[in-house]
Amino acid sequence: GEDVEQSLFLSVREGDSSVINCTYTDSSSTYLYWYKQEPGAGLQLLTYIFSNMDMKQDQRLTVLLNKKDKHLSLRIADTQTGDSAIYFCAVHGSSNTGKLIFGQGTTLQVKP
Amino acid sequence: DTGVSQDPRHKITKRGQNVTFRCDPISEHNRLYWYRQTLGQGPEFLTYFQNEAQLEKSRLLSDRFSAERPKGSFSTLEIQRTEQGDSAMYLCASSPMSGFWETQYFGPGTRLLVL
Protein backbone atom coordinates (compact mmCIF):
# COMPACT_ATOMS: atom_id res chain seq x y z
CA GLY A 1 0.00 0.00 0.00
CA GLU A 2 0.95 3.65 0.02
CA ASP A 3 3.70 4.61 2.41
CA VAL A 4 5.40 7.88 3.30
CA GLU A 5 8.56 7.89 5.41
CA GLN A 6 10.29 10.74 7.20
CA SER A 7 13.13 10.98 9.68
CA LEU A 8 11.74 11.73 13.12
CA PHE A 9 13.94 14.50 14.45
CA LEU A 10 16.17 17.33 13.27
CA SER A 11 18.03 19.86 15.40
CA VAL A 12 19.62 23.00 13.96
CA ARG A 13 21.01 26.28 15.21
CA GLU A 14 19.12 29.51 14.59
CA GLY A 15 20.23 31.05 11.30
CA ASP A 16 21.30 27.73 9.77
CA SER A 17 19.43 25.98 6.97
CA SER A 18 17.19 23.00 7.74
CA VAL A 19 16.55 20.18 5.32
CA ILE A 20 13.70 17.78 6.01
CA ASN A 21 13.48 14.68 3.84
CA CYS A 22 10.61 12.44 2.79
CA THR A 23 10.31 9.31 0.66
CA TYR A 24 7.11 7.85 -0.73
CA THR A 25 6.08 4.70 -2.55
CA ASP A 26 3.13 5.76 -4.74
CA SER A 27 4.13 8.10 -7.55
CA SER A 28 0.63 8.86 -8.84
CA SER A 29 0.10 11.95 -6.66
CA THR A 30 -0.42 15.08 -8.75
CA TYR A 31 0.59 17.32 -5.88
CA LEU A 32 2.94 16.72 -2.96
CA TYR A 33 2.58 18.76 0.21
CA TRP A 34 4.38 20.01 3.26
CA TYR A 35 2.33 20.83 6.34
CA LYS A 36 3.47 22.34 9.65
CA GLN A 37 1.96 21.52 13.03
CA GLU A 38 2.65 23.46 16.20
CA PRO A 39 1.94 21.87 19.60
CA GLY A 40 -1.75 21.23 20.16
CA ALA A 41 -2.74 22.82 16.85
CA GLY A 42 -4.10 21.67 13.53
CA LEU A 43 -2.09 21.42 10.33
CA GLN A 44 -1.00 24.53 8.47
CA LEU A 45 -0.27 24.20 4.77
CA LEU A 46 3.27 25.41 4.15
CA THR A 47 3.79 24.74 0.49
CA TYR A 48 3.19 22.19 -2.24
CA ILE A 49 4.75 21.16 -5.51
CA PHE A 50 3.18 19.92 -8.71
CA SER A 51 4.46 16.52 -9.74
CA ASN A 52 5.88 17.74 -13.05
CA MET A 53 8.17 20.22 -11.29
CA ASP A 54 11.62 19.56 -9.85
CA MET A 55 11.85 22.58 -7.61
CA LYS A 56 9.68 25.27 -6.12
CA GLN A 57 10.87 28.25 -4.11
CA ASP A 58 8.64 30.26 -1.81
CA GLN A 59 10.46 32.88 0.26
CA ARG A 60 12.57 30.94 2.78
CA LEU A 61 11.17 27.59 1.65
CA THR A 62 12.57 25.46 -1.17
CA VAL A 63 10.94 22.19 -2.18
CA LEU A 64 12.91 19.66 -4.23
CA LEU A 65 11.25 16.71 -5.92
CA ASN A 66 13.15 13.72 -7.31
CA LYS A 67 10.51 11.59 -8.98
CA LYS A 68 12.93 8.88 -10.01
CA ASP A 69 13.96 8.25 -6.41
CA LYS A 70 10.50 9.18 -5.02
CA HIS A 71 12.16 11.70 -2.74
CA LEU A 72 10.82 15.03 -1.56
CA SER A 73 12.69 17.55 0.55
CA LEU A 74 11.91 20.83 2.27
CA ARG A 75 14.69 23.32 2.85
CA ILE A 76 14.13 26.19 5.28
CA ALA A 77 16.69 28.96 4.91
CA ASP A 78 17.74 31.10 7.88
CA THR A 79 15.83 28.91 10.32
CA GLN A 80 14.23 30.80 13.21
CA THR A 81 13.05 29.62 16.63
CA GLY A 82 9.50 30.16 15.40
CA ASP A 83 10.10 27.40 12.86
CA SER A 84 10.25 24.85 15.67
CA ALA A 85 7.35 22.49 14.96
CA ILE A 86 6.51 19.13 13.42
CA TYR A 87 6.66 19.01 9.64
CA PHE A 88 4.60 16.51 7.65
CA CYS A 89 5.08 15.38 4.11
CA ALA A 90 1.86 14.26 2.38
CA VAL A 91 0.89 12.77 -0.96
CA HIS A 92 -2.43 11.79 -2.44
CA GLY A 93 -3.34 8.15 -2.09
CA SER A 94 -3.92 5.99 -5.13
CA SER A 95 -7.70 6.02 -4.70
CA ASN A 96 -9.80 8.51 -6.63
CA THR A 97 -10.96 10.51 -3.64
CA GLY A 98 -7.98 12.75 -2.97
CA LYS A 99 -7.25 11.43 0.50
CA LEU A 100 -3.84 12.37 1.79
CA ILE A 101 -1.24 9.92 3.06
CA PHE A 102 1.03 11.50 5.67
CA GLY A 103 4.45 10.65 6.96
CA GLN A 104 5.07 10.33 10.69
CA GLY A 105 6.34 13.87 10.86
CA THR A 106 9.77 15.37 11.51
CA THR A 107 10.20 17.35 14.71
CA LEU A 108 12.38 20.37 14.00
CA GLN A 109 14.15 21.81 17.02
CA VAL A 110 15.79 25.21 16.53
CA LYS A 111 18.36 26.14 19.13
CA PRO A 112 19.12 29.83 19.75
CA ASP B 1 -13.17 33.45 4.87
CA THR B 2 -12.86 32.19 8.43
CA GLY B 3 -11.18 28.89 7.67
CA VAL B 4 -12.23 25.43 8.79
CA SER B 5 -13.70 25.40 12.29
CA GLN B 6 -14.22 22.46 14.63
CA ASP B 7 -16.23 22.12 17.80
CA PRO B 8 -15.49 21.27 20.53
CA ARG B 9 -11.75 21.78 20.67
CA HIS B 10 -11.38 19.38 23.57
CA LYS B 11 -13.54 16.56 24.85
CA ILE B 12 -13.04 14.31 27.86
CA THR B 13 -15.42 11.40 28.19
CA LYS B 14 -15.74 8.12 30.02
CA ARG B 15 -15.39 4.82 28.26
CA GLY B 16 -18.70 3.67 26.84
CA GLN B 17 -20.14 7.14 26.29
CA ASN B 18 -21.08 8.55 22.89
CA VAL B 19 -19.45 11.70 21.54
CA THR B 20 -20.17 13.90 18.54
CA PHE B 21 -17.85 16.36 16.84
CA ARG B 22 -18.75 19.07 14.37
CA CYS B 23 -16.80 20.50 11.45
CA ASP B 24 -17.66 23.62 9.47
CA PRO B 25 -15.65 23.75 6.25
CA ILE B 26 -14.57 26.81 4.32
CA SER B 27 -17.67 28.12 2.58
CA GLU B 28 -18.19 26.80 -0.94
CA HIS B 29 -15.75 23.93 -0.40
CA ASN B 30 -17.45 20.85 -1.77
CA ARG B 31 -15.08 18.29 -0.36
CA LEU B 32 -14.74 17.48 3.32
CA TYR B 33 -12.35 15.01 4.95
CA TRP B 34 -11.97 13.54 8.43
CA TYR B 35 -8.61 12.34 9.71
CA ARG B 36 -7.45 10.93 13.03
CA GLN B 37 -4.06 11.66 14.55
CA THR B 38 -2.64 9.74 17.48
CA LEU B 39 0.34 10.91 19.49
CA GLY B 40 3.58 10.84 17.54
CA GLN B 41 1.93 9.89 14.27
CA GLY B 42 0.80 11.64 11.14
CA PRO B 43 -2.91 12.05 10.41
CA GLU B 44 -4.70 8.99 9.05
CA PHE B 45 -7.63 9.23 6.66
CA LEU B 46 -11.04 8.26 8.02
CA THR B 47 -13.66 9.33 5.51
CA TYR B 48 -14.48 11.75 2.70
CA PHE B 49 -17.56 13.63 1.50
CA GLN B 50 -18.25 15.27 -1.79
CA ASN B 51 -21.19 17.55 -1.09
CA GLU B 52 -23.53 15.38 0.99
CA ALA B 53 -22.35 12.05 -0.40
CA GLN B 54 -19.94 9.96 1.66
CA LEU B 55 -17.72 8.47 -1.01
CA GLU B 56 -15.02 6.63 0.90
CA LYS B 57 -14.52 5.17 4.36
CA SER B 58 -11.27 3.86 5.75
CA ARG B 59 -10.92 0.48 7.42
CA LEU B 60 -10.13 2.54 10.54
CA LEU B 61 -13.76 3.66 10.65
CA SER B 62 -15.31 0.85 12.65
CA ASP B 63 -19.04 0.30 13.06
CA ARG B 64 -18.95 2.54 16.13
CA PHE B 65 -18.05 5.53 13.97
CA SER B 66 -20.53 7.37 11.79
CA ALA B 67 -20.14 10.57 9.82
CA GLU B 68 -22.74 12.70 8.13
CA ARG B 69 -22.90 15.80 6.03
CA PRO B 70 -26.65 16.24 5.66
CA LYS B 71 -26.85 19.41 3.60
CA GLY B 72 -23.44 19.39 2.05
CA SER B 73 -22.20 22.06 4.44
CA PHE B 74 -21.14 21.14 8.00
CA SER B 75 -20.31 17.58 8.98
CA THR B 76 -20.57 15.58 12.18
CA LEU B 77 -18.51 12.63 13.35
CA GLU B 78 -20.06 10.45 16.05
CA ILE B 79 -18.29 7.79 18.04
CA GLN B 80 -20.53 5.39 19.93
CA ARG B 81 -19.44 3.38 22.96
CA THR B 82 -16.07 5.09 23.12
CA GLU B 83 -12.97 3.07 23.96
CA GLN B 84 -9.65 4.25 25.34
CA GLY B 85 -8.09 3.54 21.95
CA ASP B 86 -10.30 6.25 20.45
CA SER B 87 -8.28 8.90 22.28
CA ALA B 88 -6.75 11.02 19.54
CA MET B 89 -6.96 14.33 17.72
CA TYR B 90 -9.75 14.34 15.13
CA LEU B 91 -8.98 16.65 12.24
CA CYS B 92 -11.32 17.95 9.58
CA ALA B 93 -10.19 19.36 6.25
CA SER B 94 -11.97 20.85 3.26
CA SER B 95 -11.09 21.60 -0.32
CA PRO B 96 -12.83 23.03 -3.34
CA MET B 97 -13.91 20.76 -6.15
CA SER B 98 -12.21 21.15 -9.47
CA GLY B 99 -10.82 18.98 -12.21
CA PHE B 100 -7.98 17.77 -10.06
CA TRP B 101 -7.27 17.30 -6.41
CA GLU B 102 -7.08 20.62 -4.63
CA THR B 103 -5.17 21.54 -1.52
CA GLN B 104 -6.82 20.51 1.73
CA TYR B 105 -7.13 23.09 4.48
CA PHE B 106 -7.29 21.79 8.00
CA GLY B 107 -9.18 22.91 11.05
CA PRO B 108 -7.68 23.16 14.57
CA GLY B 109 -8.87 19.67 15.49
CA THR B 110 -10.87 18.17 18.34
CA ARG B 111 -8.76 16.43 20.95
CA LEU B 112 -10.59 13.48 22.51
CA LEU B 113 -9.55 11.81 25.74
CA VAL B 114 -11.39 8.67 26.78
CA LEU B 115 -10.94 7.75 30.44
Side-chain angles (χ1 to χ4, degrees):
Chain A
E2 305 111 347
D3 194 26
V4 178
E5 297 282 340
Q6 296 179 240
S7 53
L8 296 183
F9 186 79
L10 176 65
S11 180
V12 301
R13 292 249 175 236
E14 191 173 21
D16 289 349
S17 292
S18 306
V19 179
I20 301 171
N21 295 302
C22 169
T23 58
Y24 56 93
T25 56
D26 190 326
S27 57
S28 63
S29 190
T30 305
Y31 290 94
L32 300 95
Y33 304 88
W34 284 103
Y35 284 87
K36 176 183 179 183
Q37 187 175 39
E38 297 182 1
L43 273 70
Q44 172 195 350
L45 176 69
L46 270 185
T47 188
Y48 61 90
I49 188 167
F50 193 48
S51 59
N52 69 353
M53 298 171 66
D54 297 323
M55 185 180 82
K56 178 181 178 181
Q57 188 146 4
D58 185 359
Q59 300 182 337
R60 291 190 298 122
L61 305 178
T62 303
V63 180
L64 295 177
L65 174 60
N66 182 328
K67 290 188 291 289
K68 175 177 172 290
D69 294 338
K70 297 181 183 177
H71 183 267
L72 183 71
S73 68
L74 174 70
R75 179 176 179 270
I76 305 173
D78 188 25
T79 313
Q80 303 297 307
T81 54
D83 295 325
S84 293
I86 303 175
Y87 291 80
F88 292 96
C89 163
V91 303
H92 285 294
S94 57
S95 72
N96 59 356
T97 58
K99 71 180 182 185
L100 290 175
I101 309 297
F102 287 85
Q104 281 184 293
T106 299
T107 297
L108 175 62
Q109 179 188 67
V110 183
K111 296 179 180 178
Chain B
D1 184 352
T2 57
V4 178
S5 61
Q6 292 187 245
D7 184 67
R9 295 290 308 278
H10 303 274
K11 179 71 177 178
I12 300 174
T13 191
K14 292 183 180 178
R15 192 175 51 186
Q17 298 293 305
N18 299 345
V19 294
T20 300
F21 309 141
R22 176 178 170 129
C23 171
D24 287 86
I26 294 171
S27 59
E28 298 179 358
H29 276 194
N30 306 87
R31 295 176 173 149
L32 188 147
Y33 300 80
W34 285 99
Y35 293 83
R36 183 175 72 184
Q37 184 181 22
T38 53
L39 204 61
Q41 301 296 317
E44 295 174 292
F45 170 79
L46 290 178
T47 190
Y48 154 72
F49 289 86
Q50 183 162 299
N51 298 312
E52 64 274 9
Q54 187 174 19
L55 297 184
E56 185 174 351
K57 293 193 290 187
S58 161
R59 293 190 308 272
L60 293 174
L61 216 64
S62 75
D63 291 345
R64 296 184 297 104
F65 287 71
S66 62
E68 293 183 343
R69 193 180 183 200
K71 297 180 181 178
S73 56
F74 72 91
S75 175
T76 58
L77 178 68
E78 181 184 17
I79 310 174
Q80 296 183 325
R81 305 181 303 282
T82 52
E83 301 173 356
Q84 288 183 323
D86 297 331
S87 296
M89 173 85 93
Y90 291 84
L91 294 162
C92 175
S94 71
S95 71
M97 186 165 68
S98 67
F100 50 87
W101 299 111
E102 286 279 3
T103 302
Q104 294 178 28
Y105 295 90
F106 283 79
T110 294
R111 185 171 292 282
L112 172 67
L113 177 61
V114 181
L115 300 176

